[in-house]
């Protein structure tokens, strides 16, 4: 039996008003920055991602169903090659190139933020987060970071087994871990540090034993895939935002590693871990944070066009574009008509 149902106009108006209010407070001005850098890890390829994502039509896709956007591409960051003693700092691969490049990135991100645009940084590997988050902290001390990743990236040079700096990004930014580092030449610009109370992880499923010790010691808040299975992605994002920003006032920075997605969704990345987010879940994270009206910066990192087949690369690049579209206000909602009766099916 089919029942004719009418949409409650008052409920609909309340819903539409709520959506409009959230959208009106969100930034429609976007600044894109490319950081073609891969020295934070040992694979060739992440440096190709900014060009691949742009060539796949990022700006066109952003505008495709969000014509109100004002998008400006600020170009690529200059890759630096500073020289330091190879013995110092210990166990930090390509240190000189990294500190110089992230300092250049920080200047560019700060420029975008001063222009009152959402700073969208396309990496590159996750070491670029040092520059983008560092710049955000310089621009606004009261920020919260949502770290979407399969990995915690909270090793120090003493706990890392690889010496890859893309796995040390959070530790380098953390106020509570300052005393765990030697003096780091070239990092003097990073005056403001991030409290570990102002970061929350989503999507974790591969954490080194010593990283777990650090996270337990400082009570770092994290939602792994088990939490997402139990509470659903909306429930996890809601809990994460309430924890990291209980007064609804902080400026949000989302640092998004494409390997947070399951390898079937994003096969062209260097550190795949099975059992990750679906693309729909990954998009939802950005939609919900954008709707707060306080999203100020996004990093999209670890896409590697040198890994996999052409189809793998196309699938991964497209996933990155869909995530960035959500970060710029594109929504997947349907359109409900006002006060329209749903007709009975024809029974003739």
């Amino acid at each position: 039996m089919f029942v004719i149902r009418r949409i409650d106009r008052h409920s609909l108006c309340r819903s539409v008003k709520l959506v409009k209010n959230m959208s009106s407070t969100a930034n429609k001005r976007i600044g894109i920055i490319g950081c073609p850098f891969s020295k934070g890890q040992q694979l060739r390829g992440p440096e190709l991602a900014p060009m691949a994502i742009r060539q796949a039509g990022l700006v066109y896709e952003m505008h495709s169903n969000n014509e109100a956007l004002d998008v400006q591409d600020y170009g690529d960051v200059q890759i630096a090659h500073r020289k330091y003693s190879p013995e110092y700092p210990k166990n930090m691969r390509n240190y000189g190139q990294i500190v110089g490049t992230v300092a250049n990135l920080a200047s560019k991100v700060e420029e975008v933020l001063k222009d009152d645009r959402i700073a969208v940084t396309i990496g590159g590997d996750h070491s670029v987060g040092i520059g983008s988050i560092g710049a955000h902290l310089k621009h606004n001390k009261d920020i919260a970071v949502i770290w979407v990743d399969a990995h915690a990236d909270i090793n120090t040079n003493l706990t890392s087994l690889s010496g890859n700096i893309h796995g040390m990004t959070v530790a380098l930014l953390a106020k509570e871990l300052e005393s765990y580092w030697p003096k780091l030449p070239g990092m003097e610009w990073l005056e403001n540090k991030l409290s570990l109370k102002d970061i929350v992880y989503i999507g974790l499923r591969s954490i080194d034993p010593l990283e777990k010790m650090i996270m337990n010691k400082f009570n770092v808040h994290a939602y792994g895939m088990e939490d997402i299975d139990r509470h659903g992605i909306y429930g996890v994002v809601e809990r994460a935002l309430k924890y990291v920003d209980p007064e609804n006032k902080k400026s949000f920075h989302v640092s998004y590693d494409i390997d947070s997605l399951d390898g079937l969704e994003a096969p062209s990345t260097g550190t795949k871990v099975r059992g990750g987010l679906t693309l729909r879940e990954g998009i939802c994270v950005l939609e919900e944070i954008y709707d707060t009206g306080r999203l100020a910066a996004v990093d999209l990192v670890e896409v590697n066009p040198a890994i996999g087949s052409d189809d793998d690369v196309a699938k991964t690049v497209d996933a990155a574009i869909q995530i960035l579209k959500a970060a710029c206000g594109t929504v997947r909602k349907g359109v409900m008509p006002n006060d329209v009766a749903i007709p009975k099916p024809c029974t003739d």
Side-chain angles (χ1 to χ4, degrees):
M1 178 178 179
F2 293 87
V3 179
I4 296 178
R5 304 180 68 179
R6 289 186 177 273
I7 297 172
D8 181 348
R9 169 176 278 185
H10 297 292
S11 298
L12 177 60
C13 288
R14 285 195 300 270
S15 299
V16 171
K17 185 178 180 182
L18 177 62
V19 171
K20 285 183 177 178
N21 284 344
M22 289 189 297
S23 299
S24 65
T25 60
N27 200 338
K28 298 291 186 181
R29 290 162 53 81
I30 311 298
I32 298 172
I33 305 164
C35 192
F37 186 74
S38 59
K39 297 300 183 179
Q41 46 86 70
Q42 297 178 55
L43 297 175
R44 172 188 164 273
E47 74 279 2
L48 305 173
M51 180 176 65
I53 292 170
R54 286 183 175 111
Q55 288 183 346
L58 173 63
V59 175
Y60 173 81
E61 288 290 333
M62 284 179 169
H63 282 297
S64 61
N65 56 351
N66 198 350
E67 295 179 359
L69 279 184
D70 173 1
V71 182
Q72 180 175 333
D73 194 328
Y74 286 67
D76 285 345
V77 171
Q78 183 177 357
I79 306 304
H81 297 274
R82 296 184 184 176
K83 292 185 179 180
Y84 296 100
S85 166
E87 291 81 27
Y88 186 86
K90 293 182 178 179
N91 198 33
M92 298 182 77
R93 292 177 181 271
N94 304 310
Y95 178 82
Q97 294 177 57
I98 289 170
V99 295
T101 300
V102 299
N104 290 344
L105 173 60
S107 297
K108 187 74 74 171
V109 170
E110 193 172 7
E111 177 186 351
V112 175
L113 293 173
K114 285 180 178 178
D115 286 347
D116 192 29
R117 295 177 182 272
I118 295 176
V120 175
T121 300
I122 306 172
D125 65 64
H126 219 154
S127 65
V128 307
I130 303 166
S132 62
I133 296 173
H136 197 169
L137 283 163
K138 188 175 181 180
H139 181 75
N140 183 346
K141 294 181 181 180
D142 196 17
I143 79 169
V145 174
I146 314 297
W147 195 273
V148 188
D149 202 330
H151 310 88
D153 296 347
I154 198 169
N155 272 304
T156 70
N157 64 323
L158 297 178
T159 64
S160 173
L161 299 178
S162 66
N164 293 333
I165 295 179
H166 77 158
M168 306 180 193
T169 303
V170 174
L172 284 163
L173 291 163
K175 186 185 302 181
E176 292 87 343
L177 298 177
E178 282 185 285
S179 62
Y180 288 71
W181 293 95
K183 183 177 180 180
L184 298 174
M187 292 286 284
E188 295 81 8
W189 64 271
L190 188 59
E191 298 174 357
N192 299 325
K193 293 294 184 79
L194 179 74
S195 171
L196 290 173
K197 295 178 182 178
D198 293 326
I199 185 170
V200 62
Y201 289 94
I202 294 177
L204 291 184
R205 56 194 184 277
S206 178
I207 311 174
D208 295 344
L210 292 175
E211 287 183 305
K212 288 183 181 178
M213 291 176 62
I214 293 171
M215 294 174 73
N216 288 335
K217 177 179 175 64
F218 294 101
N219 195 28
V220 178
H221 220 66
Y223 293 95
M225 293 308 302
E226 182 180 353
D227 301 300
I228 293 169
D229 289 341
R230 179 176 291 114
H231 301 295
I233 192 63
Y234 281 102
V236 162
V237 175
E238 181 181 19
R239 285 169 168 81
L241 296 182
K242 185 177 291 187
Y243 165 78
V244 82
D245 184 28
E247 298 180 4
N248 300 316
K249 66 176 185 179
K250 291 183 179 177
S251 177
F252 284 122
H253 191 120
V254 179
S255 204
Y256 202 114
D257 191 322
I258 201 73
D259 73 23
S260 62
L261 302 182
D262 190 84
L264 297 175
E265 300 273 21
S268 293
T269 188
T271 50
K272 292 185 288 291
V273 184
R274 293 295 300 274
L277 299 170
T278 66
L279 181 56
R280 286 168 61 185
E281 290 170 330
I283 290 171
C284 171
V285 173
L286 268 302
E287 287 177 342
E288 292 299 293
I289 298 171
Y290 180 86
D291 277 350
T292 66
R294 287 175 286 112
L295 178 61
V298 180
D299 315 321
L300 192 287
V301 300
E302 300 287 357
V303 172
N304 189 334
I307 292 177
S309 65
D310 289 346
D311 287 344
D312 289 339
V313 174
K315 180 184 290 187
T316 307
V317 167
D318 181 66
I321 289 174
Q322 300 309 314
I323 289 163
L324 292 175
K325 285 171 63 178
C328 298
T330 298
V331 296
R332 300 168 294 155
K333 297 180 178 71
V335 178
M336 295 191 300
N338 274 319
D339 200 20
V340 176
I342 301 175
K344 286 182 178 180
C346 179
T347 55
D348 294 341

